[in-house]
């Protein structure tokens, strides 16, 4: 199954037979006090740095979240999207929990957007899916509902089934649905990621859907987080994860993903890998000669 | 299923509910010209350095191979094992393709040894399994035979079935059998490691056997090999690999393994991970203060 995302000029395809899709996560004020103050003052200049860092780090898509309390989030998100589309041709993932913000985001965006995210509660689906249908966008859906985050594979599969049926009911093709199988911090529950990996495996077996998740989350609260995230992604990819919302600024993690592409036959004969390695060697050589 | 290895004083348990077992691979003259010359001159002094590097890097077991052309390999292997057992209390994996060398190795070794390795050909099994039985050792078996290395999961499963039956026929308990599911260089065949991962998954499902493989092999011929090996092991572990013959000198790869332990619930609450991190921080601090 191929999930297609587009900006005005560029297409990105997510699929089990495609290299992994890195959705850069950093364009988000959560936990960034200085950036929040700037956004409250309607100052979007920081976006240029964040976009550049994610793009040069190797992001394929950019997640854009403008959730700052005490601001007009829909207006801010619309302006951010317009600005980012002048800075890069990468497709955008419009990230908000506020329906009006998603609406303005989708109206502003030039292309076929990814939308982050929707839970499996019926009222949420009935609010968001008509927007997805109208704009021909792609929705990320989480298999949790009003009862909370289910901790078994069976429960996650049941809610995913409900989401699949509702998406079909709205006449949205299943390739425009991406499931987030839910990755919780392993420091809070040693067995939680085994459930995530099995859920990924089962969703791939049953529907062949594309999947994404927040990859930084898994190491929350533990030391030396990059190494944990770098080990998690190849494992999740080998079970069928096709995309992740992650920070593209850390070479260790991006390299783990590109190495896993190679190991899983998604970079035949290592042509991407070797290109990446040569670029790295060239930049080292340039540094050494002062060029 | 628990596979137990012992030296004179230390026990190591391999299992799907245990932290991954790192079998240090470096005590081997293959590709090391200087070391080969020393061994031909009966000089085993280099072993002290190799053992120290693998042990301090985090090996749980040491693979010992003394395969040098134009030497008396059985005698050399016997001397090496005696010497190594004075240097470390880690169990040893006796590695040779020569029956007489395995025989001398097993007679010399103090403890319950791992033996590397046996193919699924009947004459090889009939030579090696009586030795394994006699010494109560553990055998690594490869699901290939006279026809070569099978490239499908089904063929590897068929040969594994034959190995399982033969091992049972000799009255050897299945926990003393470790299967090597065969990892070939991904640079030679883009799909080869998908076959390996599926084989691992199937063997775990069908028999619950422990497994090991030569992990350095997968990146052969490609640049930036450490990153490829570091991505491969967490993926293989997530499918059921419980051990690997690998070089413990590279922190990137050892950390990938220990992070995967944590992610797979084999290091509950990260106690090993945090201990490792603190030791790393302490050694950095000592360097910085000149202590």
């Amino acid at each position: 199954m191929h999930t297609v995302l587009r900006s005005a000029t560029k297409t990105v395809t997510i699929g089990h037979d495609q290299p992994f899709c890195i959705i850069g996560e950093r364009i988000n004020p959560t936990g960034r006090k200085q950036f929040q103050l700037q956004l409250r003052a309607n100052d979007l200049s920081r976006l240029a740095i964040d976009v550049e860092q994610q793009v040069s780090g190797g992001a394929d898509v950019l997640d854009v979240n403008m959730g700052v309390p005490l601001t007009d989030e829909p207006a801010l998100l619309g302006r951010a999207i317009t600005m980012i589309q002048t800075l890069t041709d990468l497709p955008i993932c419009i990230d908000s929990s506020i329906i009006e913000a998603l609406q303005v985001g989708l109206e502003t965006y030039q292309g076929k957007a990814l939308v982050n995210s929707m839970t499996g509660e019926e009222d949420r689906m009935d609010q968001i899916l008509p927007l997805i249908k109208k704009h021909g966008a792609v929705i990320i859906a989480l298999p949790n509902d009003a009862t909370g985050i289910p901790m078994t594979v069976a429960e996650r599969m049941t809610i995913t089934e409900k989401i699949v049926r509702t998406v079909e009911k709205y006449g949205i093709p299943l390739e425009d649905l991406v499931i987030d199988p839910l990755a919780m911090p392993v420091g809070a529950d040693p067995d939680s990621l085994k459930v995530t990996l099995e859920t990924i495996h089962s969703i791939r077996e049953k529907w062949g859907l594309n999947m994404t998740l927040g990859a930084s989350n898994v190491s929350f609260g533990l030391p030396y987080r990059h190494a944990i995230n770098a080990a998690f992604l190849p494992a999740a990819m080998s079970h069928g994860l096709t995309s992740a919302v992650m920070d593209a600024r850390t070479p260790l993690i991006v390299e783990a993903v590109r190495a896993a592409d190679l190991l899983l036959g998604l970079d035949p004969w290592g042509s991407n890998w070797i290109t990446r390695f040569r670029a790295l060697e060239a930049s080292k050589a340039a540094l050494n000669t002062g060029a």
Side-chain angles (χ1 to χ4, degrees), chain A:
Chain A
M1 195 172 297
H2 282 175
T3 297
V4 175
L5 306 176
R6 276 192 297 270
S7 66
T9 54
K10 193 181 170 89
T11 297
V12 168
T13 303
I14 308 176
H16 292 282
D17 61 353
Q18 300 289 312
F20 194 72
C21 177
I22 296 177
I23 305 172
E25 75 177 348
R26 186 70 180 163
I27 306 168
N28 187 327
T30 308
R32 298 171 69 186
K33 204 170 173 182
Q34 181 65 27
F35 189 28
Q36 289 184 12
L37 291 173
Q38 288 174 328
L39 292 179
R40 276 199 198 118
N42 268 312
D43 171 6
L44 297 186
S45 60
R46 172 74 206 183
L47 290 179
I49 300 170
D50 288 343
V51 167
E52 199 283 321
Q53 286 178 342
Q54 294 299 314
V55 172
S56 65
D60 301 302
V61 172
L62 299 180
D63 187 272
V64 179
N65 179 308
M66 290 287 121
V68 188
L70 311 175
T71 60
D72 178 357
E73 187 180 327
L76 201 55
L77 186 59
R79 285 181 57 213
I81 288 170
T82 302
M83 178 173 168
I84 291 166
Q85 290 210 286
T86 66
L87 296 169
T88 176
D89 63 353
L90 295 189
I92 283 177
C93 176
I94 302 172
D95 182 358
S96 178
S97 54
I98 295 174
I99 305 289
E100 293 71 28
L102 295 180
Q103 199 160 0
V104 172
L106 284 164
E107 280 161 12
T108 309
Y109 183 68
Q110 304 290 312
K112 184 177 174 71
L114 185 57
V115 172
N116 190 6
S117 57
M118 171 185 90
T119 55
E121 291 149 273
E122 267 157 48
D123 58 336
R124 286 297 282 179
M125 294 199 281
D126 288 338
Q127 285 180 301
I128 292 174
L129 290 177
L131 280 175
I132 297 299
K133 170 81 176 168
K134 178 180 172 191
H135 292 279
V138 176
I139 183 70
I140 298 174
L142 298 88
N144 61 341
D145 57 19
T147 60
I149 292 176
M151 291 313 294
T152 67
V153 178
E155 290 168 289
R156 293 185 192 183
M157 290 298 282
T158 301
I159 305 178
T160 301
E161 176 96 53
K162 189 172 83 173
I163 292 167
V164 164
R165 287 196 188 144
T166 309
V167 162
E168 284 175 331
K169 194 187 77 186
Y170 275 96
I172 296 167
L174 283 188
E175 57 263 32
D176 287 348
L177 170 65
V178 173
I179 301 290
D180 178 337
L182 302 170
M184 312 301 294
V186 73
D189 173 1
D191 292 325
S192 68
L193 294 177
K194 282 195 287 188
V195 173
T196 302
L197 294 176
E198 275 181 52
T199 304
I200 292 170
H201 191 90
S202 301
I203 289 174
R204 182 186 185 169
E205 290 280 303
K206 183 153 186 184
W207 296 286
L209 292 169
N210 283 306
M211 285 170 269
T212 196
L213 48 69
S216 304
N217 209 21
V218 303
S219 57
F220 182 80
L222 288 161
Y224 212 26
R225 293 184 62 177
H226 292 333
I228 300 172
N229 298 346
F232 175 66
L233 284 163
M237 291 167 67
S238 76
H239 285 267
L241 188 74
T242 49
S243 163
V245 181
M246 54 183 271
D247 190 347
R249 292 175 309 171
T250 310
L252 181 72
I253 304 175
V254 175
E255 268 151 26
V257 165
R258 295 306 167 216
D261 279 343
L262 175 58
L263 292 163
L264 297 171
L266 305 172
D267 175 16
W269 315 111
S271 68
N272 295 341
W273 183 257
I274 290 163
T275 304
R276 185 179 169 86
F277 176 76
R278 286 202 183 126
L280 201 74
E281 293 291 292
S283 74
K284 269 191 215 162
L287 278 175
N288 288 341
T289 60

